[in-house]
Amino acid sequence: MTAISKEERTARQGSDKCFVPNIVLITLSLGLLMLLWSVDSVSIAPNRIVPGSGFMLWQALGLPGALLVSVLIAALAALALTPQKRFYSAQLIIIALLLLLMPFGLMVAGALLIEPDMPQARLGVSGGFWCLLFVMLLALVEVRLRLKLSRLWPALLLCFVAAVWWLCALSWLDHVALVQEFKARDAQFMRALQQHLVLVGVSVSLSVVLGLALALAMRRFSRLNRLGFALLNFVQTIPSLALFGLLLAPLAWLASQVPLLARLGVSGIGMAPALIALVAYSLLPMVRNTYTALDEVDEATLEAATAMGMRSAQRFWQVRLPLALPVLIEGVRITAVQAIGLATVAALIGAGGLGTFIFQGLGQAAMDMVLLGALPILVLALLVDASLGALAERLRPEGMQ
Amino acid sequence: MGTANVAVKSRAAPLQWRWPLVWASLLALCVLGMPHLEALFRLFEPDARQVVYTRASFATLLWRHLSVVAVAALAGIVFGVLAGIAVTRKRGRDFMPLVAQLASLGQTFPPVAVLALAVPAIGFGTWPIIMALLLYGLLPIVRNTLSGLLGVDAEVKTAARAMGMTPWQVLISVELPLAMPIILAGVRTSVTINIATAALGATVGASNLGDPIIAGIINNNTAYIVQGAVVIALLALTVDSLFDMLQQRLKTSRSAA
């Protein structure tokens, strides 16, 4: 689909020797400018409980700071008027610069808006700031597509930006509500993050192994095919919330009947039911993708392998599996992203993880705590999505792209 | 070439009502007869004081659940199909890669996280869950609208233009009817996922069929969880079979033409 527009574009460029303006980037940056000057960027609350009052960009950064940001964004739009490759590179630099400047903007806002006699004051991040972040990410995607970069580079750039933010947050951003919330429970946060990663890692690896085995069995025994997919589809209709809950009682009963299991850590609440539910959910996308991946391998290629004298095991490991790998990895990507979200719900049955903060925060109406749980989950999902997507892209053999 | 016109005019094939009726009547039985099933649920929780969820009637919960999903689905169809149409027109072409990326980004955001982020922005209640469902369900609709519209043969469009149709007429009476089966499949995926996901709304104060499940988890009452899960599953099966029926009908009228 991009091929058509590209051909059109080059044809037009060739005919009248000028560049078609990139309306996408122009729309994005002009829209962002309008939002930044009309929506609150930060809010200041005297303490944790009282809701804050909002401040606009020019109040938060001072007029020079606001003008600097606006000029940078306007430059983004101006460069998009006559897009050439080096202009896109310049835009990439501007986007990175804006992303890197964000925590420093918060520092300036803290210094300007918080009076020294308010030690409890908290700087909240509001609409304008999030819009800036979101539009910058969109612009990054657009520039990446125009420069035809692999997904890996923006991901690396974002990792660098995140590292800078992290450093700023640890050393200077004491007033920001999110940082205060983190500092109040950093050990708890690290444990939750670790639990979350363990839940996702274990359930995805289990479902990769089980999924591969199931898909192979379904290919071998065609009667299993219908039954297997019917069963897996049925599991998907049970809401995740219910599946977690439904495992509570049977596992508690099992643990009370079989002491060995109880000693291994199986109980009604906690990791065991969470893992079972996560694996049950992960199996459908995993099996479906593995099945199609193995099925889509070109018959002629396999026949050629047979003709070359390969035994069937060789044919599987050296031809079918490598050729199926990109689609298979795609399945792992979908499964992993889904598992990151579902593991959040597992907090409701005491499995820990980042969902703990979300549900505790919702219960206490402490929105910064909700953010402390939700933001890392989003980042985690995006990171896994980008890295596995890049891996699948890389593994695709020549000629199949 | 004539498929589009014929497809619209051809006699509608009889609808296959069997499965939707089976699931819908099971759903109705379950929802209305839940108070009478006490003996059955006693088996799950012999010691509990109460085994049937009574804080709200299941019919009310079902209605709320269904309306949340319906609002999200309608908004998703409007936004998704309009976006798909906009970026396949000549003027909007430049936005296509971004819209496709954006839609797949929407699927990456876990609904719980969207829900959690929506609450600080718009408060507790029904709206955050509608927003989360909308965002989560948008991808299948946008993706299928795009592939449906892009899949329409360029020659068919040229022929329609040559017959004197305006671009608007081409869109309404050629492109959309031809893309309809694929768009419908996207809507089906989106709605089926969202029926199960909507239960999460119960965690942010949107009362729906997730309520008995949450109450069951908190009070350690499996019977409540089973009731919520069974009704949601039956609802998902009913809606899914309705979509299946519509798709079958589209397919038969297409092949008859």
PDB file of all heavy atoms in Angstrom, chain B residues 228-244:
ATOM      1  N   GLY B 228     -21.035 -14.843  36.804  1.00  0.00           N
ATOM      2  CA  GLY B 228     -20.581 -13.771  35.921  1.00  0.00           C
ATOM      3  C   GLY B 228     -19.960 -14.328  34.647  1.00  0.00           C
ATOM      4  O   GLY B 228     -20.272 -13.884  33.533  1.00  0.00           O
ATOM      5  N   ALA B 229     -19.094 -15.336  34.822  1.00  0.00           N
ATOM      6  CA  ALA B 229     -18.365 -15.880  33.676  1.00  0.00           C
ATOM      7  C   ALA B 229     -19.299 -16.534  32.675  1.00  0.00           C
ATOM      8  O   ALA B 229     -19.170 -16.341  31.461  1.00  0.00           O
ATOM      9  CB  ALA B 229     -17.319 -16.887  34.164  1.00  0.00           C
ATOM     10  N   VAL B 230     -20.273 -17.320  33.193  1.00  0.00           N
ATOM     11  CA  VAL B 230     -21.180 -18.031  32.284  1.00  0.00           C
ATOM     12  C   VAL B 230     -22.011 -17.038  31.467  1.00  0.00           C
ATOM     13  O   VAL B 230     -22.150 -17.182  30.245  1.00  0.00           O
ATOM     14  CB  VAL B 230     -22.102 -18.984  33.084  1.00  0.00           C
ATOM     15  CG1 VAL B 230     -23.251 -19.468  32.222  1.00  0.00           C
ATOM     16  CG2 VAL B 230     -21.304 -20.168  33.594  1.00  0.00           C
ATOM     17  N   VAL B 231     -22.533 -16.012  32.129  1.00  0.00           N
ATOM     18  CA  VAL B 231     -23.369 -15.054  31.394  1.00  0.00           C
ATOM     19  C   VAL B 231     -22.537 -14.313  30.341  1.00  0.00           C
ATOM     20  O   VAL B 231     -22.974 -14.143  29.197  1.00  0.00           O
ATOM     21  CB  VAL B 231     -24.052 -14.061  32.364  1.00  0.00           C
ATOM     22  CG1 VAL B 231     -24.854 -13.045  31.593  1.00  0.00           C
ATOM     23  CG2 VAL B 231     -24.958 -14.811  33.319  1.00  0.00           C
ATOM     24  N   ILE B 232     -21.309 -13.910  30.714  1.00  0.00           N
ATOM     25  CA  ILE B 232     -20.471 -13.209  29.740  1.00  0.00           C
ATOM     26  C   ILE B 232     -20.138 -14.132  28.563  1.00  0.00           C
ATOM     27  O   ILE B 232     -20.199 -13.723  27.398  1.00  0.00           O
ATOM     28  CB  ILE B 232     -19.186 -12.676  30.400  1.00  0.00           C
ATOM     29  CG1 ILE B 232     -19.543 -11.572  31.382  1.00  0.00           C
ATOM     30  CG2 ILE B 232     -18.223 -12.130  29.350  1.00  0.00           C
ATOM     31  CD1 ILE B 232     -18.363 -11.019  32.124  1.00  0.00           C
ATOM     32  N   ALA B 233     -19.800 -15.390  28.868  1.00  0.00           N
ATOM     33  CA  ALA B 233     -19.449 -16.324  27.793  1.00  0.00           C
ATOM     34  C   ALA B 233     -20.638 -16.537  26.858  1.00  0.00           C
ATOM     35  O   ALA B 233     -20.491 -16.550  25.633  1.00  0.00           O
ATOM     36  CB  ALA B 233     -18.984 -17.652  28.382  1.00  0.00           C
ATOM     37  N   LEU B 234     -21.850 -16.692  27.444  1.00  0.00           N
ATOM     38  CA  LEU B 234     -23.042 -16.889  26.612  1.00  0.00           C
ATOM     39  C   LEU B 234     -23.319 -15.651  25.764  1.00  0.00           C
ATOM     40  O   LEU B 234     -23.690 -15.760  24.588  1.00  0.00           O
ATOM     41  CB  LEU B 234     -24.260 -17.210  27.483  1.00  0.00           C
ATOM     42  CG  LEU B 234     -24.311 -18.638  28.008  1.00  0.00           C
ATOM     43  CD1 LEU B 234     -25.494 -18.816  28.941  1.00  0.00           C
ATOM     44  CD2 LEU B 234     -24.397 -19.629  26.861  1.00  0.00           C
ATOM     45  N   LEU B 235     -23.112 -14.476  26.354  1.00  0.00           N
ATOM     46  CA  LEU B 235     -23.304 -13.241  25.597  1.00  0.00           C
ATOM     47  C   LEU B 235     -22.334 -13.195  24.417  1.00  0.00           C
ATOM     48  O   LEU B 235     -22.724 -12.889  23.273  1.00  0.00           O
ATOM     49  CB  LEU B 235     -23.081 -12.036  26.515  1.00  0.00           C
ATOM     50  CG  LEU B 235     -23.209 -10.665  25.864  1.00  0.00           C
ATOM     51  CD1 LEU B 235     -24.614 -10.457  25.362  1.00  0.00           C
ATOM     52  CD2 LEU B 235     -22.833  -9.568  26.841  1.00  0.00           C
ATOM     53  N   ALA B 236     -21.065 -13.547  24.693  1.00  0.00           N
ATOM     54  CA  ALA B 236     -20.058 -13.539  23.624  1.00  0.00           C
ATOM     55  C   ALA B 236     -20.462 -14.512  22.517  1.00  0.00           C
ATOM     56  O   ALA B 236     -20.384 -14.184  21.325  1.00  0.00           O
ATOM     57  CB  ALA B 236     -18.689 -13.909  24.184  1.00  0.00           C
ATOM     58  N   LEU B 237     -20.928 -15.712  22.908  1.00  0.00           N
ATOM     59  CA  LEU B 237     -21.306 -16.711  21.905  1.00  0.00           C
ATOM     60  C   LEU B 237     -22.510 -16.236  21.094  1.00  0.00           C
ATOM     61  O   LEU B 237     -22.564 -16.431  19.870  1.00  0.00           O
ATOM     62  CB  LEU B 237     -21.611 -18.047  22.588  1.00  0.00           C
ATOM     63  CG  LEU B 237     -20.380 -18.754  23.145  1.00  0.00           C
ATOM     64  CD1 LEU B 237     -20.783 -19.939  24.004  1.00  0.00           C
ATOM     65  CD2 LEU B 237     -19.480 -19.227  22.011  1.00  0.00           C
ATOM     66  N   THR B 238     -23.495 -15.611  21.769  1.00  0.00           N
ATOM     67  CA  THR B 238     -24.674 -15.120  21.052  1.00  0.00           C
ATOM     68  C   THR B 238     -24.278 -14.086  20.003  1.00  0.00           C
ATOM     69  O   THR B 238     -24.654 -14.199  18.824  1.00  0.00           O
ATOM     70  CB  THR B 238     -25.662 -14.458  22.041  1.00  0.00           C
ATOM     71  OG1 THR B 238     -25.880 -15.336  23.128  1.00  0.00           O
ATOM     72  CG2 THR B 238     -26.960 -14.116  21.368  1.00  0.00           C
ATOM     73  N   VAL B 239     -23.513 -13.083  20.447  1.00  0.00           N
ATOM     74  CA  VAL B 239     -23.145 -12.008  19.526  1.00  0.00           C
ATOM     75  C   VAL B 239     -22.286 -12.553  18.386  1.00  0.00           C
ATOM     76  O   VAL B 239     -22.474 -12.206  17.210  1.00  0.00           O
ATOM     77  CB  VAL B 239     -22.415 -10.890  20.294  1.00  0.00           C
ATOM     78  CG1 VAL B 239     -21.888  -9.842  19.341  1.00  0.00           C
ATOM     79  CG2 VAL B 239     -23.345 -10.253  21.288  1.00  0.00           C
ATOM     80  N   ASP B 240     -21.355 -13.455  18.751  1.00  0.00           N
ATOM     81  CA  ASP B 240     -20.479 -14.019  17.730  1.00  0.00           C
ATOM     82  C   ASP B 240     -21.277 -14.793  16.687  1.00  0.00           C
ATOM     83  O   ASP B 240     -21.022 -14.696  15.488  1.00  0.00           O
ATOM     84  CB  ASP B 240     -19.446 -14.924  18.398  1.00  0.00           C
ATOM     85  CG  ASP B 240     -18.303 -15.246  17.470  1.00  0.00           C
ATOM     86  OD1 ASP B 240     -17.659 -14.294  16.999  1.00  0.00           O
ATOM     87  OD2 ASP B 240     -18.068 -16.434  17.207  1.00  0.00           O
ATOM     88  N   SER B 241     -22.308 -15.558  17.138  1.00  0.00           N
ATOM     89  CA  SER B 241     -23.080 -16.338  16.168  1.00  0.00           C
ATOM     90  C   SER B 241     -23.948 -15.423  15.304  1.00  0.00           C
ATOM     91  O   SER B 241     -24.203 -15.719  14.135  1.00  0.00           O
ATOM     92  CB  SER B 241     -23.939 -17.387  16.878  1.00  0.00           C
ATOM     93  OG  SER B 241     -24.810 -16.769  17.784  1.00  0.00           O
ATOM     94  N   LEU B 242     -24.384 -14.274  15.884  1.00  0.00           N
ATOM     95  CA  LEU B 242     -25.121 -13.294  15.071  1.00  0.00           C
ATOM     96  C   LEU B 242     -24.241 -12.762  13.944  1.00  0.00           C
ATOM     97  O   LEU B 242     -24.670 -12.657  12.790  1.00  0.00           O
ATOM     98  CB  LEU B 242     -25.590 -12.129  15.942  1.00  0.00           C
ATOM     99  CG  LEU B 242     -26.877 -12.341  16.721  1.00  0.00           C
ATOM    100  CD1 LEU B 242     -27.120 -11.182  17.672  1.00  0.00           C
ATOM    101  CD2 LEU B 242     -28.045 -12.492  15.761  1.00  0.00           C
ATOM    102  N   PHE B 243     -22.997 -12.437  14.291  1.00  0.00           N
ATOM    103  CA  PHE B 243     -22.069 -11.962  13.270  1.00  0.00           C
ATOM    104  C   PHE B 243     -21.815 -13.039  12.225  1.00  0.00           C
ATOM    105  O   PHE B 243     -21.739 -12.763  11.028  1.00  0.00           O
ATOM    106  CB  PHE B 243     -20.743 -11.539  13.905  1.00  0.00           C
ATOM    107  CG  PHE B 243     -20.743 -10.120  14.370  1.00  0.00           C
ATOM    108  CD1 PHE B 243     -20.709  -9.819  15.710  1.00  0.00           C
ATOM    109  CD2 PHE B 243     -20.778  -9.084  13.454  1.00  0.00           C
ATOM    110  CE1 PHE B 243     -20.716  -8.514  16.142  1.00  0.00           C
ATOM    111  CE2 PHE B 243     -20.787  -7.772  13.872  1.00  0.00           C
ATOM    112  CZ  PHE B 243     -20.757  -7.493  15.218  1.00  0.00           C
ATOM    113  N   ASP B 244     -21.694 -14.279  12.714  1.00  0.00           N
ATOM    114  CA  ASP B 244     -21.467 -15.398  11.807  1.00  0.00           C
ATOM    115  C   ASP B 244     -22.608 -15.498  10.797  1.00  0.00           C
ATOM    116  O   ASP B 244     -22.396 -15.664   9.596  1.00  0.00           O
ATOM    117  CB  ASP B 244     -21.353 -16.690  12.625  1.00  0.00           C
ATOM    118  CG  ASP B 244     -20.812 -17.826  11.790  1.00  0.00           C
ATOM    119  OD1 ASP B 244     -19.736 -17.636  11.203  1.00  0.00           O
ATOM    120  OD2 ASP B 244     -21.488 -18.870  11.703  1.00  0.00           O
TER     121      ASP B 244
END
